[in-house]
Amino acid sequence: MRPIRARVSRAALAHNLSVARAHAGASRVMAVVKADAYGHGLAALLPAFQTADALAVLALDEARLLRQSGWNNPILLLEGPFDAGDLAEAASLGCWPVLHGAHQLDWLDALPETVRIEAFAKFDTGMHRLGFALDAFDSVLARLRAHPRIAAVTLMTHFAQADEAGGVGWQLAPFLDCVATTGLPWSAANSAALIAHPESRGDWVRPGIMLYGASPFAGRSAASLGLKPVMRLESALIAVRTLAAGEAVGYGCTFRAPRPMRVGVAACGYADGYPRHAPTGTPVAVAGTRTRTLGRVSMDMLCVDLEPVPQAQVGSPVELWGAHIPVDEVAHAAGTIGYELLCARAARVPVFTEP
Ligand SMILES: *Cc1c(COP(=O)(O)O)cnc(C)c1O
């Protein structure tokens, strides 16, 4: 059997959820589990989310799975219904839809009379992606409050720079000016805001990435935030060879051995979700020892430097990311963020969920 696998720890997830809970104070915690729990496998990980007050998903397939798996607490649909049929099914599943555009409000009118929906009204405070303009705040709210299908409204926005120097104040202040006129509950904070901007917690916080043990900040490690990696992407060496000085390894011959070198071939490539852009020098662990990748990442393989691991041989374990190699370090080397690598785990990489 090909040795690549993702090991996923429920205990680490539960720990990170408790860290989020501690930051949340009196706010309720809505754990974001979109993209199959950021690539970790939602169904098997679900027991570790039991202490969350609600779960947030992208679309109805995930909401269905949660209901079938026995999740009876609230579910938020982060982008709301994509068509009128979605809204009807969201109602029948007892989900809370985000409503961010006038077209979605029109779909409310088509719902059966018996339906009552608890909605999150999303306002655009500067991200300029989804949400009603704050200029339209009063009219949107009046329409929702008067609508016979709407049982409750929570106000929501999303931050563009919660993880950066720009911060959240420029978005939060105008949003809270509007919120204050209503007395309604509100939600704004993602992981970065929850950690760095406690004034943005509101009634519901929406942490995602921190629950999976990666950092929302470019300059702060997950470990320094008290978080534990939930996924360990591991494989093994399927070949070992010695390069003579001047010989190259991999496509494009981008790495040439400056001296005779032992090189290992690991069963992991970009078709597994490992970033092809990771250059020579990207950190990787072989038999528990930190070393580096060499040359270009192939579809199904990548090469590693065995100089720091002289005892390595065919079958030696390789950690692509996990306890020894933070996913954020691999992401940084490849010019991306931990989020993308976790979500990119390919379907062909089996997940083993552990207690
Ligand atoms: C994905 C998402 C989150 C979670 O963001 P993290 O940076 O992963 O904590 C929160 N809110 C919304 C609307 C999202 O789409």
Side-chain angles (χ1 to χ4, degrees), residues 12-240:
L13 190 294
H15 166 83
N16 297 335
L17 185 53
S18 73
V19 173
R21 171 82 64 194
H23 282 285
S27 306
R28 282 176 288 174
V29 176
M30 177 178 284
V32 179
V33 299
K34 62 192 174 188
D36 200 21
Y38 289 44
H40 290 66
L42 176 55
L45 203 49
L46 190 55
F49 284 107
Q50 289 308 320
T51 61
D53 300 302
L55 298 179
V57 302
L58 180 67
L60 279 170
D61 54 345
E62 293 165 325
R64 256 179 244 129
L65 175 120
L66 287 174
R67 289 297 185 230
Q68 282 158 12
S69 308
W71 177 263
N72 294 321
N73 288 323
I75 300 173
L76 184 72
L77 285 178
L78 282 165
E79 295 178 11
F82 295 94
D83 54 42
D86 274 7
L87 188 58
E89 188 178 353
S92 73
L93 289 170
C95 294
W96 299 347
V98 166
L99 300 175
H100 61 78
H103 59 294
Q104 294 175 319
L105 301 188
D106 293 340
W107 296 334
L108 285 172
D109 301 337
L111 290 171
E113 275 185 18
T114 51
V115 169
R116 293 289 176 278
I117 285 185
E118 298 187 33
F120 275 48
K122 182 168 186 175
F123 290 89
D124 174 19
T125 55
M127 184 90 164
H128 295 136
R129 208 176 49 174
L130 296 185
F132 298 101
L134 278 188
D135 289 350
F137 187 87
D138 290 339
S139 63
V140 168
L141 212 61
R143 186 166 169 195
L144 283 172
R145 282 181 142 164
H147 204 288
R149 306 282 87 78
I150 294 290
V153 178
T154 299
L155 304 170
M156 171 179 170
T157 193
H158 193 57
F159 297 128
Q161 293 186 303
D163 56 324
E164 297 178 356
V168 303
W170 61 280
Q171 289 183 265
L172 188 60
F175 178 67
L176 290 186
D177 284 347
C178 292
V179 170
T181 64
T182 68
L184 290 175
W186 59 280
S187 173
N190 57 3
S191 297
L194 172 57
I195 294 169
H197 305 287
E199 71 280 13
S200 71
R201 289 178 297 194
D203 294 270
W204 286 97
V205 295
R206 308 191 303 267
I209 193 68
M210 68 181 295
L211 304 179
Y212 306 99
S215 174
F217 307 105
R220 293 168 76 179
S221 71
S224 75
L225 301 171
L227 303 171
K228 296 182 180 173
V230 177
M231 184 193 294
R232 176 183 154 103
L233 182 63
E234 61 182 34
S235 190
L237 297 183
I238 57 170
V240 171

